[in-house]
Amino acid sequence: MSWKLGIIGGSGLYGLDGLENVRKETVGTPWGNPSSTLVHATLEGVELVFLARHDEGHRIPPSDLNYRANIDALKRAGVTDVLSLSAVGSLKEELAPGAFVVVDQFIDRSFARTKSFFSEGCVAHVAMADPVCSRLSAMAADAAEAAGVETVQRGGTYLVMEGPQFSTRAESQLYRQWGCSVIGMTNMPEAKLAREAELPYASVSMVTDYDCWRTEDADVDISDILKTMHANTAHAHALVRNLVKAMAANPRTDSPQGIETALEFAIITAPEKRDPALLAKLDAVAGRVLNR
Ligand SMILES: CSC[C@H]1O[C@H](OP(=O)(O)O)[C@H](O)[C@@H]1O
Ligand SMILES: Nc1ncnc2[nH]cnc12
């Protein structure tokens, strides 16, 4: 199967430069509406689908995002892989604003979100020990370096907070003690849902601020974040172009983690106990295993 890259653009990234063959599509899903219209396009000859996580004009806050609709819509659009581009706060001295962290772990402290496509009538438990695709992550890190990003860290833990308020200082210090690298509000349940949908996921976390633990700095403030975000966004555009160039040069094979078959043994509900209405909603996400 050839690459078809799904890109979820976070704060500051509401579109992509230089796209060709652009087609905008407003879609619905069984889980409701995704954040924005899907932008189908090609770049360097590679097919991609772009989705603005908070919609154009940054209309939707992290707790109100329809994460299930976003992932389902990308799955229905036929993407093979999902790249998240996110603004984050830094929890490490060495990760100054402007640094890019291609995270490989998450601590999910979000609590007011629907976290699974599965529920009563069809229960599934997928593995999340390795929550990102190592190959897509490595390609994204290479692409960031080629884009001239000064600090690109391969690996790191992203603490997902509920928001929308930023952390208290005690929380920020606690997350540092936990060894987290960056903090943001959106990558969960997105990464969990991508796994349930058997989509390899990678997150490029672009540092905009030092959160509030670093008392030498002023506390995190949205106007400072916006300034850094604009600089990061230029790098993000170059990263995407470099990434699809690498995809064009390297035919796609399945992910090293076998993410494309994550649901193979995950559904535990006995076939006769499954709820037909829920199964119908799961047609895109779990059709591979349910319809055979
Ligand atoms: C604009 S700062 C806070 C906001 O930015 C991040 O969103 P995203 O991951 O979509 O770039 C962060 O998680 C907050 O939602
Ligand atoms: N300090 C921070 N905390 C949470 N989300 C963020 N996004 C950007 N900076 C952030």
Side-chain angles (χ1 to χ4, degrees):
M1 194 191 292
S2 341
W3 296 99
K4 185 166 183 178
L5 180 62
I7 300 178
I8 304 181
S11 299
L13 201 73
Y14 309 103
L16 287 175
D17 292 341
L19 298 180
E20 291 172 352
N21 306 308
V22 175
R23 177 172 62 88
K24 294 193 176 181
E25 186 189 18
T26 303
V27 297
T29 80
W31 317 96
N33 294 329
S35 297
S36 193
T37 51
L38 296 183
V39 181
H40 301 260
T42 58
L43 186 63
E44 303 288 344
V46 172
E47 281 189 273
L48 62 80
V49 182
F50 179 85
L51 175 62
R53 182 183 281 124
H54 303 275
D55 201 3
E56 281 171 43
H58 207 111
R59 190 175 55 83
I60 317 171
S63 305
D64 294 336
L65 289 170
N66 191 336
Y67 293 94
R68 290 190 299 183
N70 287 352
I71 295 296
D72 182 284
L74 290 174
K75 180 82 181 177
R76 281 176 203 281
V79 308
T80 56
D81 298 81
V82 175
L83 177 72
S84 157
L85 294 161
S86 277
V88 293
S90 167
L91 296 168
K92 301 256 192 208
E93 185 75 45
E94 65 273 22
L95 295 173
F100 281 25
V101 184
V102 185
V103 301
D104 62 355
Q105 283 296 333
F106 298 98
I107 294 180
D108 185 4
R109 293 249 312 157
S110 69
F111 51 82
R113 305 167 186 196
T114 308
K115 298 201 182 190
S116 178
F117 288 108
F118 298 91
S119 61
E120 184 174 340
C122 191
V123 179
H125 301 282
V126 295
M128 284 303 293
D130 295 307
V132 300
C133 172
S134 59
R135 177 186 52 194
L136 185 62
S137 297
M139 291 174 80
D142 292 345
E145 282 172 0
V149 178
E150 210 170 290
T151 303
V152 179
Q153 180 175 294
R154 292 169 191 254
T157 300
Y158 174 131
L159 187 295
V160 188
M161 61 177 296
E162 185 59 45
Q165 302 83 358
F166 293 117
S167 310
T168 65
R169 214 178 311 282
E171 287 166 339
S172 194
Q173 283 162 353
L174 177 67
Y175 305 149
R176 269 168 59 72
Q177 285 172 22
W178 288 354
C180 299
S181 293
V182 293
I183 181 164
M185 304 177 191
T186 61
N187 279 200
M188 285 291 186
E190 200 171 83
K192 288 175 174 164
L193 294 166
R195 180 59 55 88
E196 287 186 346
E198 299 186 326
L199 289 171
Y201 180 89
S203 168
V204 175
S205 296
M206 305 180 285
V207 174
T208 51
D209 57 273
Y210 269 117
D211 203 40
C212 63
W213 59 271
R214 197 170 181 269
T215 39
E216 299 94 298
D217 280 358
D219 296 341
V220 53
D221 165 292
I222 195 72
S223 59
D224 293 336
I225 290 183
L226 288 174
K227 276 185 219 143
T228 314
M229 218 159 63
H230 290 306
N232 286 349
T233 300
H235 276 142
H237 286 284
L239 180 160
V240 168
R241 187 175 284 275
N242 293 337
L243 176 60
V244 293
K245 271 187 194 162
M247 288 176 166
N250 293 287
R252 188 179 186 282
T253 53
D254 276 353
S255 69
Q257 284 77 28
I259 297 164
E260 294 84 351
T261 53
L263 286 177
E264 199 63 32
F265 305 109
I267 298 178
I268 193 168
T269 307
E272 68 278 10
K273 297 285 182 183
R274 293 180 188 168
D275 171 9
L278 178 55
L279 297 187
K281 291 171 77 171
L282 288 165
D283 63 332
V285 162
R288 190 188 68 79
V289 285
L290 291 174
N291 302 326
R292 63 178 185 198

